[in-house]
């Protein structure tokens, strides 16, 4: 059972991880983009935490909507609208403040689904999708197979990390690295790395 | 990084405040991120709106009669969020409609798309033109939106000022949009003014063409060349891309990326103009200066659009804005 | 030095040609070194002329209705020879008279003096205003002519356009001249575009105030400071120099030296304006941008003039030139 | 007896010296000025040589006037008007194409005199005057004392070099170095060094 409080703790842990890594993330973005991904993802996650604090007493669905709105109010480059729609997708499938394993899986699938709608990228395109897709798959498989939350998020975090790791071998089809062609090979996609830090945070907070 | 700035968090807020305070007869700042005309345009005319991250000064300032009604600024190199774009649309909402000009960059496109969806829900009449005039090294690659947007602002700004309908403004804008091309040459990489980080690096004697804006590195590296050789190389690619031929008429602009001196830009303009003219392509409109910079990046963008009588009349229409004296 | 240029010998010729070709509605080039109005001013009005070495773009371009009639350019950082100045005087010769504005630099003063002697021999009616508005570190030191000349061009250009007599134009120009001050801060040294040499050097975290134009090094070195602290330091010196007090009105302009980004200049303007206003000194006119650059020097010049009703009317008078949208 | 041909040879030798030294002269100017003195003095001396060639068959007075005009047509910064008036001053006292020792002394004194009129600097002000004044004094003293042209110009060259050397110890009162105050001490004045190269050329061509 995933409670609102647990999700809050997970998100805060994820935000803390991003805060710790943001300089490195901007440095990654400098290799294939405009050097600001750490700034934008940190801004988005900081906004998420602010929304969490401001809306702590609201039902989960409102809380998630507030996070989405707050993120989309930031100047987030590519990251803002993407992450915003991710949380919007979560809100669409947050029926109560205590979610069953199946409801939890559905909520994360809905998030990915809404994200994909505006992203249009596919796995292998060297974007956040490369971490999000395997993480979501691993999470849902584990939850539906009866795994505990801790096991499920640990496996999601592993999958996200592997997905981010694999972006080194890809040519980018979306985002600023798109124009680099083969020269993007050898560099991590900063967005995918961010997603892996976020899922690592989820796992760390759910043990 | 050695810059006269204050806290990195307030860079954009302070620069926009300063820009509007310096040109109070032209600009006013609404809600921290919306650079608007000092005096609003009549409500029965189409409003024109554009958006983009900051750090590209003076791009935010092409606002005024015959130009934009509003520029929505994001933070450094980061597209404004969908909500901020939406706010501008609400401000400009009118029966005549709103034209949004978006530059083809991932974040801008994502924000614009979400803002358009919200606008539709609120019954705001919005059309969009997406600029992607950048010349890429290989055919088929999709271009990004570079400084050509400024030339487009002039064209659609003039059409809107004349009282054309949204459809008409959009039609002429799209025509111009498909007839324009931009190509960038980069000789030094910009620093991100908040992080101090550099996007990529560049050898002592290297330059990169088709380099886009931030030094993302999607271009072709080569040895540094003279002003003339560089201008002719770029102009040749423009001619090929636009299929220009003897007798054609163009607007030619050289946009400094930040560090390039006006001396370099004037010399380059001179070389480019002569090259086009040697092909019997007439330069009927021109501009040289900083329009869309990327901090202190070295190099420039060559911006060219093929003109016809309708476009020439709009290009020559009187207008008023702080960064382009017509 | 990494610049888009061609042969060092032709730098000035090419840049002036390019500048005039880029703004053909405003400027025309006469005899290689004289940047003149595209359409001459009526002969019954006073002509206004200025001069200086090149390399300071766009200084040569403040030409047009309500501005200069002609700018006589020398070569890189080198005053034009007396004969070239004389040529311009011959071109502008008229009963109404010619006003020459000279910036206080050794070469310019020497050239202007000889040209005035020759003009007198040919019966050309010439008066001169020498600008030396620079604030020096110690009192009593004579200041050089910095970018304040551009503000003066606006004032005397407007007066001449209104048909004032040479004596009247000169009177109002001298009034403005004695009420203006300029102070420069330098954070990076320019390179000479022909020789590639640097004038002096500057530590990683150093800046210099009262630095003048080329990095000659007559200023005060100190550690790099924030935009706000720097602007307030300079503004304080301006207030002291001009004896500004509560209720006074000023024009405030921030002139980028070349490498400074517009972001820095806008932030600086904002800080400076707030500082003056905190002293109840009102900013009634303003400008931010590149007016007199020194290649890619880092930093800027703060230009301030104390205004009265007569000067304000001239400052606000309509005018037309490529580098200042009024 | 100084003939027109000798003076022509001397000026060409002086111009050649400047051409060889111009990079170093700009570097000197970079220390206390705007880094272009080598460019301007070389431009002026090149103009002088061009005027010499174009007017080779004219009388000395016209030749010197042509040199002055040509120099003043250059964009010479401080150097152009100064050097131009120097040659104009020579032309004022060039009664024929063959000058006696006394006439030669008078011609160089007139040059200095005309130069001083527009310069307004005094010896010790760290300008060209610091080389010109002692060089002229030495030249005239030697000529009036019955010295040969070779001896006189050799002594003028020595005095010019010493004068230029001494500028290291001066604070500048004119020119761009004026604002440097004490910090100009330790640097040579580039204009004075140029004058010493020119007088060295005169000496080298009159042995
Ligand atoms: N269409 C997309 N779908 C998924 N992720 C994307 C897309 N476009 C960009 N990204 C992600 O955004 C990251 C860059 O984010 P950021 O630096 O914040 O934005 P910007 O590129 O606007 O500067 C990329 O590393 C990539 O992972
Ligand atoms: N008033 C003056 N009298 C004599 N020499 C001068 C005077 N002003 C400048 N100079 C000389 O000019 C030299 C600099 O010449 P140059 O670099 O060509 O001119 P600028 O200073 O205009 O760049 C100085 O080193 C100095 O010797
Ligand atoms: Mg980025
Ligand atoms: Mg960005
Ligand atoms: Mg000079
Ligand atoms: Mg000099």
């Amino acid at each position: 059972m995933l409670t609102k409080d647990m999700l809050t703790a997970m998100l805060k842990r994820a935000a803390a991880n991003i805060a710790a890594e943001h300089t490195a993330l901007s440095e990654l973005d400098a290799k294939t983009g405009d050097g600001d991904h750490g700034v934008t993802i940190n801004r988005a996650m900081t906004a998420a935490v602010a929304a969490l604090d401001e809306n702590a007493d609201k039902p989960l669905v409102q809380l998630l909507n507030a996070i989405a709105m707050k993120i989309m109010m930031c100047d987030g480059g590519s990251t803002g609208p993407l992450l915003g729609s991710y949380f919007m997708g979560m809100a669409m499938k947050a029926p109560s403040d205590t979610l069953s394993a199946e409801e939890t899986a559905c909520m994360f699938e809905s998030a990915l689904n809404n994200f994909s709608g505006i992203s249009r990228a596919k796995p292998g395109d060297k974007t956040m999708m490369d971490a999000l897709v395997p993480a979501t798959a691993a999470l849902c498989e584990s939850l539906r197979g009866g795994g505990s939350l801790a096991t499920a998020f640990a496996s999601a975090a592993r999958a996200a990390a592997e997905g981010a790791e694999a972006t080194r071998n890809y040519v980018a089809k979306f985002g600023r690295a798109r124009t680099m062609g083969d020269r993007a090979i050898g560099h991590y996609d900063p967005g995918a790395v961010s997603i892996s830090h976020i899922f690592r945070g989820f796992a760390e907070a759910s043990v | 990084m050695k810059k006269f700035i204050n806290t990195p968090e307030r860079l954009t807020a302070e620069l926009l405040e300063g820009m509007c305070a310096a040109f109070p007869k032209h600009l006013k700042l609404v809600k921290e991120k919306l650079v608007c005309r000092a005096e609003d345009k009549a409500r029965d005319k189409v409003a024109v709106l554009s958006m983009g991250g900051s750090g590209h000064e003076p791009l935010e300032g092409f606002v005024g009669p015959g130009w934009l009604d509003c520029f929505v600024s994001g933070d450094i190199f980061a597209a404004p969020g969908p909500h901020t774009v939406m706010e501008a649309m609400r401000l400009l909402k009118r029966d005549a409609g709103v034209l949004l000009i978006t530059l083809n960059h991932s974040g801008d496109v994502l924000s614009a798309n979400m803002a358009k969806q919200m606008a539709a829900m609120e019954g705001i009449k919005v059309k969009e033109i997406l600029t992607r005039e950048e010349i890429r090294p290989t055919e088929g690659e999709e271009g990004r939106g570079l400084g050509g947007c400024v030339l487009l602002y002039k064209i659609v700004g003039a059409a809107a000022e004349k009282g054309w309908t949204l459809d008409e403004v959009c039609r002429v804008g799209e025509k111009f949009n498909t007839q324009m091309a931009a190509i960038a040459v980069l000789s030094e990489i910009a620093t991100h003014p908040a992080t101090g980080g550099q996007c990529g690096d560049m050898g002592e004697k290297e330059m990169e063409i088709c380099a886009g804006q931030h030094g993302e590195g999607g271009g072709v590296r080569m040895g540094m060349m003279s002003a003339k050789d560089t201008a002719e190389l770029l102009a040749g690619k423009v001619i090929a891309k636009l299929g220009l031929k003897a007798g054609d008429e163009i607007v030619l602009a050289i946009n400094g990326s930040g560090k390039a001196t006006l001396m370099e830009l004037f010399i380059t303009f001179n070389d480019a103009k002569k090259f086009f003219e040697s092909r019997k392509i007439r330069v009927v409109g021109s501009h040289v200066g900083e329009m869309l910079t990327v901090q202190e990046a070295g190099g420039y963008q060559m911006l060219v659009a093929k003109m016809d009588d309708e476009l020439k009349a709009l290009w020559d229409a009187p207008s008023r804005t702080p960064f382009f004296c017509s």
Side-chain angles (χ1 to χ4, degrees), chain A, chain B:
Chain A
M1 297 250 283
L2 181 69
T3 65
K4 194 180 92 173
D5 287 352
M6 288 169 66
L7 190 61
T8 301
M10 285 161 57
L11 286 169
K12 289 195 170 175
R13 181 69 191 218
N17 287 352
I18 290 295
E21 296 291 337
H22 80 92
T23 311
L25 290 164
S26 285
E27 278 163 17
L28 279 187
D29 194 30
K31 305 281 185 211
T32 57
D34 57 353
D36 64 357
H37 178 66
V39 176
T40 52
I41 187 82
N42 194 33
R43 186 183 289 147
M45 293 305 287
T46 306
V49 170
L52 280 170
D53 291 340
E54 289 159 15
N55 300 279
D57 48 358
K58 302 262 171 69
L60 180 60
V61 54
Q62 284 182 34
L63 187 59
L64 290 168
N65 258 324
I67 293 176
M69 289 300 129
K70 194 108 185 172
I71 290 177
M72 290 205 279
M73 271 154 60
C74 309
D75 301 326
S78 305
T79 297
L82 288 166
L83 230 58
S85 32
Y86 190 77
F87 284 100
M88 213 182 262
M90 282 181 119
M92 288 173 194
K93 288 284 167 68
S96 72
D97 286 3
T98 320
L99 305 177
S100 68
E102 176 57 25
E103 283 170 335
T104 305
C106 282
M107 181 174 76
F108 277 90
E109 279 173 344
S110 171
L112 173 60
N113 199 38
N114 205 46
F115 180 101
S116 312
I118 79 147
S119 151
R120 294 185 194 155
K122 289 187 199 46
D125 287 349
K126 202 173 186 113
T127 72
M128 295 183 188
M129 287 295 264
D130 291 319
L132 267 186
V133 168
T136 312
L139 178 76
C140 296
E141 191 188 311
S142 172
L143 286 173
R144 288 185 177 125
S148 70
L149 280 178
T151 322
F153 279 105
S155 123
R158 251 190 327 272
E162 283 164 18
E165 179 67 34
T167 60
R168 281 191 70 171
N169 309 316
Y170 301 154
V171 167
K173 297 279 164 49
F174 286 83
R176 296 197 189 276
R178 175 174 64 78
T179 50
M180 287 189 75
D182 288 351
R183 276 168 297 175
I185 294 176
H187 298 294
Y188 295 101
D189 175 59
V193 174
S194 282
I195 297 295
S196 79
H197 290 312
I198 289 173
F199 272 88
R200 177 167 57 79
F202 292 170
E204 287 159 355
S206 52
V207 285
Chain B
M1 186 182 58
K2 207 173 177 187
K3 289 192 183 182
F4 290 104
I5 52 179
N6 300 310
T7 47
E9 296 74 32
R10 302 234 339 122
L11 281 176
T12 304
E14 290 181 12
L15 92 86
L16 293 178
E17 205 177 302
M19 179 190 277
C20 293
F23 297 100
K25 284 184 195 161
H26 295 89
L27 307 176
K28 71 171 176 244
L29 191 60
V30 176
K31 293 190 178 196
E32 266 223 339
K33 293 290 182 76
L34 311 188
V35 178
C36 295
R37 294 187 184 195
E39 283 167 41
D40 295 341
K41 183 198 267 170
R43 305 295 296 183
D44 59 349
K45 292 179 179 176
V46 170
V48 189
L49 172 69
S50 191
M51 58 178 272
S54 68
H56 300 295
E57 289 61 48
L59 185 64
E60 304 89 342
F62 289 95
V63 166
W67 291 89
L68 300 176
D69 291 275
C70 175
F71 189 96
V72 187
S73 175
D75 208 339
I76 314 297
F77 300 170
H83 277 263
T84 321
V85 180
M86 184 57 207
E87 246 170 22
M89 287 177 174
R90 271 194 206 117
L91 198 77
L92 297 178
K93 179 178 178 174
R94 63 193 60 208
D95 294 341
V98 177
L99 175 63
L100 170 66
I101 296 174
T102 309
L103 284 68
N104 191 25
H105 294 275
S106 168
D108 298 87
V109 171
L110 292 171
S111 255
N113 284 346
M114 298 197 71
K116 278 190 303 175
Q117 281 169 26
M118 298 185 221
M121 277 155 46
E122 291 193 16
I124 304 178
K125 191 167 146 193
V126 177
K127 285 205 166 202
E128 186 187 28
I129 297 181
L130 184 69
T131 65
R132 47 187 154 201
E133 81 281 11
E134 185 198 22
I135 296 179
R136 299 292 313 142
T138 59
E139 235 177 299
E141 267 188 274
E142 192 192 52
R144 293 166 286 197
L146 304 188
C149 62
V150 176
L151 310 188
L152 179 60
Y153 298 163
K154 175 78 183 80
I155 296 296
V156 296
E161 210 66 53
K162 282 182 195 293
W164 294 15
T165 64
L166 183 57
D167 283 344
E168 277 293 286
V169 175
C170 230
R171 176 195 58 74
V172 80
E174 279 297 4
K175 176 170 79 176
F176 187 82
N177 194 25
T178 56
Q179 291 179 190
M180 74 173 174
I183 182 162
V185 58
L186 187 72
S187 59
E188 272 170 78
I189 306 265
T191 51
H192 190 290
T195 69
Q198 292 222 325
C199 305
D201 50 60
M202 182 78 71
E204 257 301 307
K205 296 193 166 149
E206 237 183 355
M207 67 181 211
E208 180 174 326
I209 67 165
C210 305
Q213 251 144 228
H214 307 89
E216 291 95 333
V220 180
R221 295 274 171 115
M222 54 184 73
M224 191 71 191
M225 304 195 308
S226 74
K228 184 159 184 280
D229 290 344
T230 309
E232 295 188 347
L233 175 67
L234 302 190
K237 292 191 184 294
V238 167
I239 290 177
K241 172 75 181 283
L242 295 178
L244 296 176
K245 49 190 193 319
D248 281 348
E249 296 183 321
I250 57 168
V251 159
L252 169 64
I254 304 294
N255 169 48
S257 296
K259 190 175 187 188
T261 56
L262 274 167
M263 173 186 279
E264 292 171 85
L265 303 182
F266 289 134
I267 290 174
T268 293
F269 177 85
N270 206 32
D271 289 328
K273 179 164 186 264
K274 286 186 174 157
F275 184 76
F276 283 114
E277 285 174 349
S278 75
R279 305 295 159 103
K280 306 250 180 306
I281 297 161
R282 274 188 60 214
V283 176
V284 296
S286 47
H287 191 71
V288 172
E290 294 184 344
M291 296 180 263
L292 189 167
T293 61
V294 188
Q295 297 297 305
E296 72 286 53
Y300 61 88
Q301 297 177 9
M302 180 182 292
L303 313 173
V304 177
K306 192 178 158 190
M307 303 299 279
D308 58 24
D309 287 345
E310 182 183 48
L311 294 173
K312 277 198 291 182
L314 295 169
W315 179 260
D316 288 330
S319 65
R320 235 174 67 90
T321 187
F323 305 107
F324 187 107
C325 305
S326 63

